[in-house]
């Protein structure tokens, strides 16, 4: 029979430390964090660019619809059509703002 002492026996986890955690789990992959930060920054930059483009397109649409109302609608009804159009835009913007505030509060 061979004599085994306490020093010859490995812990059940092999490379686990006395705290029971794997040392490999404590290491962070800094390259992955850098890529994640870069990806997040690029996503925000893309979102900002697309938002600016959407803002410009929205302003152009608003001005063109106003021009079309002035051209196609008789003078007596222009203010009514402009008011209806402005109310529609206001309701859409308000809905978008409420939706965004709810998303931010989650």
């Amino acid at each position: 029979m061979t004599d085994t002492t306490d020093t010859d026996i490995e812990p059940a986890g092999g490379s686990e430390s006395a705290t029971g955690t794997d040392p490999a789990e404590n290491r962070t992959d800094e390259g992955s964090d850098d890529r994640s930060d870069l990806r997040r920054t690029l996503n925000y930059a893309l979102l900002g660019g697309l938002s600016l483009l959407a803002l410009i397109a929205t302003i152009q649409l608003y001005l063109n619809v106003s021009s079309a109302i002035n051209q196609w609608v008789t003078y007596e009804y222009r203010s009514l059509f402009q008011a209806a159009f402005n109310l529609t835009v206001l309701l859409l913007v308000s809905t978008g703002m409420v939706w965004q505030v709810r998303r931010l509060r989650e």
Side-chain angles (χ1 to χ4, degrees):
M1 260 198 200
T2 59
D3 185 80
T4 59
T5 60
D6 290 337
T7 57
D8 294 335
I9 301 174
E10 257 189 3
S15 64
E16 289 183 332
S17 65
T19 60
T21 59
D22 187 7
E25 291 176 3
N26 293 333
R27 280 185 260 135
T28 59
D29 187 11
E30 293 190 21
S32 174
D33 289 341
D34 291 342
R35 283 179 283 184
S36 176
D37 290 343
L38 179 62
R39 186 177 299 136
R40 183 177 309 136
T41 302
L42 289 175
N43 282 333
Y44 278 120
L46 181 63
L47 179 64
L50 291 173
S51 297
L52 181 63
L53 186 62
L55 177 67
I56 292 169
T58 303
I59 291 170
Q60 289 289 327
L61 175 68
Y62 183 83
L63 294 174
N64 287 329
V65 169
S66 294
S67 176
I69 289 172
N70 285 334
Q71 185 176 4
W72 291 344
V73 177
T74 61
Y75 181 75
E76 296 87 28
Y77 300 109
R78 282 184 190 160
S79 60
L80 181 63
F81 274 84
Q82 285 286 351
F85 176 64
N86 288 335
L87 180 63
T88 303
V89 170
L90 181 64
L91 289 174
L92 288 173
V93 168
S94 299
T95 303
M97 290 173 68
V98 167
W99 178 70
Q100 186 63 23
V101 167
R102 286 183 181 166
R103 280 186 56 199
L104 289 173
R105 286 189 178 177
E106 290 178 357

